[in-house]
Amino acid sequence: MKLNLCSQLISIILLTGCGAQITRVENPERVGNEGKYQNLFDSHFVGEGPHHINDELDLLKPEEKKSHEASFLDPVPAHKYDKAHGYSYNDLVHQEININEHKRGQITWLGHASFLIQQMNHDAFVTDPVFDEFDGMAGWLGQQLSPSWIRLGEAPIKAKQLPFVSGVLISHDHFDHLNSKTLNNFNPNTQLYLPLDSGSDVDYSSGPITEMDWYTQSQHNNTKVHFLPANHTSARGIFDSKKSLWGGWMIDDGQYKVYFAGDTGYSDVFKDIRKKVGAMDVCLMPIVAYHASMRAVHMSPEDALQAANDLGCKVFVPWGYGTWTLGCEHVHEPLRRLDLAIRQSQPNFVVKALKMGESLNYHQLLSSAQPLRLSSKVNKINQLN
């Protein structure tokens, strides 16, 4: 089915739960969800695995191995060792955080799935900001039942420190990606972009809300905002699985395309995205929670590199590690495995792992007179762990 980006339906509805006015952007060429959304493409990974030769590698140091008995209701109980033993949160926080609203063509990692994106056209966005503990009674209960739900350290940046941000992009409604307390600390009139049918999952009073379907776009000041498909799922409670949409975002300032994948598994969706909206300049890619059956909805480092190749990325920045232990893996594993995967696959794009609060000026990198060479641009990933 060919989806036409120019063909979309825009309606305005009133969300009675919080009284907010929502602009809803739908793609009329997509089949109705009939109560539940589905991924456009099948996952390449079925069952428990192992799915890749690296799945069976032990990447932990002896001193990091502390036997651990998972709690009964741990969301991902199948892990042998304490997932944060030997990890220091402060070691992953950049020591010289300097947020400057006048920067252009720059991203700053704010932890987990959250990035500050400062474009060439003066528009600034934040992705999936969760700068507090998980929302509500469900979040509180999860913290009582499992340490996986508890932050490993304070967020390096708070929403009130970002008064120049005018748009927030949410990939889906899981607790580590959508947090009402954080959202309401942004400046009044901050535009909130959500997947379709996610408005009821948020109590947001700071600004207007736009819900978007896959392969639709909105205009935010001078930026084209695209909502794109992913291989994942959604749920805020026990009975609402897949009733709201999920996906990734691409923002285009006319000079650079910055892509934020959101949580996703690997599938042909990335080839489809490139076919419909073109190659990406910067790709912000998840590399966590990929063990066993979770591989269908999360990417390993090897998967993320392949997805970036499918997308035609020029700069690859990983995320997801170090803030919570929601996956099966130890905190140190994803970056070590990414380092190994780079050596195995020799990708033809720049890979840069950041510390929380650290910035990367992609404009300076991509506009350099020197040709981009992986060997000279990849940072020493193992230095971070």
Side-chain angles (χ1 to χ4, degrees):
M1 177 176 61
K2 184 177 180 180
L3 301 176
N4 186 348
L5 282 172
C6 296
S7 177
Q8 54 190 41
L9 297 175
I10 300 176
S11 60
I12 298 176
I13 63 174
L14 187 69
L15 180 63
T16 57
C18 62
Q21 183 172 284
I22 296 178
T23 301
R24 184 179 173 93
V25 184
E26 297 178 290
N27 186 336
E29 298 186 29
R30 290 206 329 116
V31 177
N33 62 22
E34 298 178 351
K36 285 198 173 185
Y37 291 101
Q38 301 293 332
N39 289 313
L40 291 182
F41 296 90
D42 292 334
S43 169
H44 285 211
F45 305 101
V46 178
E48 297 291 316
H51 304 289
H52 188 278
I53 188 172
N54 291 352
D55 287 351
E56 298 185 291
L57 295 178
D58 182 356
L59 298 176
L60 293 185
K61 301 173 183 177
E63 62 269 23
E64 295 167 348
K65 297 178 179 180
K66 179 182 177 182
S67 295
H68 171 70
E69 184 176 345
S71 59
F72 176 67
L73 291 177
D74 195 304
V76 278
H79 50 90
K80 183 178 180 181
Y81 299 112
D82 183 319
K83 295 181 287 185
H85 184 67
Y87 166 67
S88 171
Y89 180 86
N90 288 334
D91 288 345
L92 199 59
V93 176
H94 194 54
Q95 296 303 305
E96 299 181 6
I97 300 175
N98 181 22
I99 300 298
N100 183 340
E101 66 176 289
H102 301 293
K103 290 292 185 180
R104 299 289 173 259
Q106 180 165 287
I107 60 168
T108 303
W109 186 40
L110 306 180
H112 198 56
S114 184
F115 287 88
L116 167 64
I117 307 171
Q118 296 174 265
Q119 298 190 113
M120 298 298 291
N121 61 8
H122 299 263
D123 287 341
F125 296 83
V126 170
T127 65
D128 288 2
V130 182
F131 302 154
D132 302 278
E133 298 290 355
F134 293 163
D135 270 338
M137 180 58 67
W140 176 87
L141 181 61
Q143 293 161 34
Q144 311 312 306
L145 298 175
S146 169
S148 294
W149 286 59
I150 301 173
R151 290 188 68 100
L152 297 174
E154 290 290 322
I157 298 292
K158 296 293 187 178
K160 291 182 178 180
Q161 296 173 262
L162 304 171
F164 54 92
V165 167
S166 61
V168 174
L169 310 169
I170 301 296
S171 63
H172 63 298
D173 67 0
H174 287 162
F175 283 90
D176 54 323
H177 295 262
L178 175 60
N179 186 277
S180 292
K181 181 178 180 181
T182 297
L183 291 175
N184 282 302
N185 281 320
F186 282 95
N187 261 9
N189 297 318
T190 299
Q191 174 77 49
L192 178 62
Y193 293 94
L194 299 172
L196 282 186
D197 295 318
S198 298
S200 59
D201 294 322
V202 62
D203 181 8
Y204 182 66
S205 58
S206 289
I209 298 174
T210 299
E211 290 185 352
M212 293 175 62
D213 200 351
W214 287 333
Y215 290 122
T216 63
Q217 71 178 48
S218 292
Q219 189 71 29
H220 180 95
N221 298 330
N222 298 312
T223 300
K224 293 179 180 179
V225 176
H226 297 252
F227 189 54
L228 302 171
N231 265 58
H232 199 56
T233 185
S234 65
R236 196 71 174 173
I238 299 174
F239 304 110
D240 62 345
S241 176
K242 299 183 179 180
K243 290 189 176 181
S244 62
L245 201 52
W246 55 88
W249 297 93
M250 186 268 282
I251 51 178
D252 182 357
D253 65 4
Q255 187 168 351
Y256 297 107
K257 294 179 179 178
V258 178
Y259 170 73
F260 169 68
D263 274 349
T264 182
Y266 181 79
S267 76
D268 291 337
V269 70
F270 302 104
K271 295 176 182 177
D272 194 58
I273 289 171
R274 182 174 182 178
K275 180 180 178 181
K276 289 184 170 64
V277 301
M280 306 297 176
D281 294 295
V282 181
C283 289
L284 312 176
M285 308 296 281
I287 59 165
V288 294
Y290 42 75
H291 287 87
S293 61
M294 298 303 291
R295 192 65 156 271
V297 292
H298 295 99
M299 290 194 294
S300 72
E302 301 84 16
D303 301 337
L305 291 173
Q306 181 60 55
N309 185 69
D310 293 349
L311 290 162
C313 295
K314 297 176 183 175
V315 179
F316 173 109
V317 179
W319 57 261
Y321 47 89
T323 305
W324 290 277
T325 54
L326 295 169
C328 291
E329 72 279 353
H330 190 280
V331 175
H332 285 322
E333 182 181 302
L335 283 181
R336 292 175 184 169
R337 186 160 164 171
L338 177 61
D339 190 45
L340 174 62
I342 290 169
R343 287 184 271 118
Q344 290 171 330
S345 63
Q346 291 294 302
N348 62 353
F349 45 80
V350 175
V351 178
K352 174 68 176 179
L354 300 175
K355 290 190 175 185
M356 290 181 243
E358 184 178 5
S359 300
L360 170 66
N361 194 297
Y362 57 84
H363 170 61
Q364 293 178 0
L365 182 63
L366 294 174
S367 63
S368 170
Q370 298 296 321
L372 296 178
R373 293 187 302 164
L374 182 77
S375 60
S376 63
K377 296 293 184 180
V378 174
N379 70 322
K380 295 293 185 181
I381 291 176
N382 278 328
Q383 289 181 359
L384 301 184
N385 53 67

